[in-house]
Amino acid sequence: MKLNAILVEDEENSRLILKNYLAKYCPNVNILGEASNINEGLELIRNLDLDLVFLDVEMPYGNAFDLLDKVGDRDFETVFVTAYNNYAMDALNAHASYYLMKPIDIDELIKAVDYVMEIKTKEDALQDQVLIPKTNNVEGKITIPQQDGFEVLNTKDILYCKADDNYTEIYLNNSKKKLVSKTLKYFEDALTPSGFARVHKSYLVNVGEVVKYIKGKGGSVILSNGKEIMVSASKKSDLLSYFN
């Protein structure tokens, strides 16, 4: 896991030192930009997807707390880097993850980054739990993960799912398609209780949308939109059990 970060610091030499320390001792930090005042910092924050902001306190056109006030709600962590120890309580009240004093102690910098990494790892683990497709908590609904959160679909609107390596294509009855970075097995586990059947290694179908079965070794099914999907011989009995 990489932490996308920016440095907001008015002293160029201080930025250079911090950047060099991070490159050498904290390779899991990916520096996306630098700012020398709060206006530049605010622009970076609004335009970048960030995990972490290294933030000096005293800067031109205001201080770190003015910047955080302008940002409002935030989903990144902050590490204060300052020569002043009298801002520690204010930093705590601003929900800072760590407070580093200048000159920077390398061990403390590593601790700060490790602490933020731990926070983000826990957040990601919690998000993964939230984004596991669910049909039992809200009947007839399933969540699919997206970059900025998740989308809720009605299971009855799903015609079929098709495997695409480690992705799954979800085809809806409004002719729309969703590409999700989860395997077909992932959706099979979630959707089987809602009347979906794995009819092929590459296909999971909504049995309620099957309008015709064509005989054969495995045969095939025709869905309500006219799509024909082959049924593997090993899956034939499972499918036909829905209609017996």
Side-chain angles (χ1 to χ4, degrees), residues 132-149:
I132 291 174
K134 297 181 185 296
T135 55
N136 54 348
N137 288 353
V138 181
E139 187 176 354
K141 304 286 186 181
I142 187 172
T143 60
I144 59 172
Q146 295 184 327
Q147 188 172 3
D148 59 350

Side-chain angles (χ1 to χ4, degrees), residues 165-206:
D165 291 328
N166 290 323
Y167 290 78
T168 297
E169 297 173 356
I170 299 177
Y171 290 82
L172 305 175
N173 58 17
N174 59 5
S175 300
K176 290 185 178 180
K177 179 178 76 172
K178 307 283 184 181
L179 182 64
V180 185
S181 58
K182 298 293 181 184
T183 65
L184 188 61
K185 179 64 166 62
Y186 182 84
F187 285 102
E188 180 184 8
D189 292 342
L191 289 171
T192 296
S194 295
F196 284 71
R198 185 79 172 260
V199 298
H200 189 276
K201 67 177 182 179
S202 298
Y203 288 95
L204 178 72
V205 303
N206 184 344

Side-chain angles (χ1 to χ4, degrees), residues 73-85:
D73 293 336
R74 59 185 190 269
D75 56 5
F76 57 83
E77 301 300 316
T78 55
V79 171
F80 280 75
V81 186
T82 179
Y84 305 96
N85 60 13

